[in-house]
Amino acid sequence: MHLLAFGGSLRPASTTGQLLRAAAALAPADVQFSFYEGLAGLPHFSPELDADPLPPAVITLRQALAMADGILFCTPEYAYGVPGAFKNALDWLVSTTLMTHKPVAVMSASPSFLGGDKAHASLLLTLTALNTRIAEDASLLIAGVRTKLNAAGEVTDEATRQQLRETVAALIRACRAV
């Protein structure tokens, strides 16, 4: 099984990226993870660009999604929503059927102990518009994320580690059910 980890931050050392790597490390040995890292290279979405020949970065994005059995998304919250670059990537998928019924899991991470829910809701809404299959029990909101990671980006909070394990397991179950 091949899962794609897709983070919503442009920062190389982002907490969302750290959480995705931690989640991948908790997956069973028969599950392969790859990481989409082309977010910064995508052009701004415009309908007239969504035609042949497609920009190379868009082709790479779509190929990565097409090859995945399921996708694990993780977004930070920015101005009560998903970051613009992340939403831009999702906008490049609207005209395709790549996401139709594709099993997905959704995580959001916020440094605030009160935040993250608005980005989470926004991402869920967009994924619903893309007609994805949001896996049952595969939706995780992590508040106060910086208190749950050490300087090396490892999850130090056992409850969070267990939630990551359960989220990945739920996504795997959804993929196997397809």
Side-chain angles (χ1 to χ4, degrees), residues 75-97:
T75 187
E77 184 167 281
Y78 188 78
Y80 294 137
V82 298
F86 191 34
K87 178 63 168 73
N88 181 60
L90 298 173
D91 286 346
W92 277 107
L93 306 175
V94 171
S95 68
T96 75
T97 58

Side-chain angles (χ1 to χ4, degrees), residues 4-9 15-24 26 33 35 71-77 82-83 86 104-110 115-124 127 134-135 137-143 145 155 160-169 171:
L4 180 67
F6 197 130
S9 177
T15 54
T16 55
Q18 292 168 345
L19 288 169
L20 287 169
R21 286 186 291 281
L26 295 169
F33 264 92
F35 295 81
I71 304 160
L72 177 59
F73 288 103
C74 188
T75 187
E77 184 167 281
V82 298
F86 191 34
V104 300
V106 180
M107 302 188 305
S108 63
S110 173
D117 58 321
K118 292 168 187 63
H120 198 80
S122 176
L123 180 55
L124 287 170
L127 292 173
I134 299 167
D137 298 324
S139 183
L140 176 60
L141 190 127
I142 304 170
V145 67
V155 178
T160 301
R161 190 176 3 267
Q162 183 58 32
Q163 290 172 323
L164 288 172
R165 189 177 287 112
E166 291 168 2
T167 301
V168 171
L171 178 56

Side-chain angles (χ1 to χ4, degrees), residues 32-49:
Q32 173 194 3
F33 264 92
S34 62
F35 295 81
Y36 177 71
E37 297 183 0
L39 196 60
L42 287 169
H44 295 290
F45 175 76
S46 180
E48 56 273 357
L49 294 177

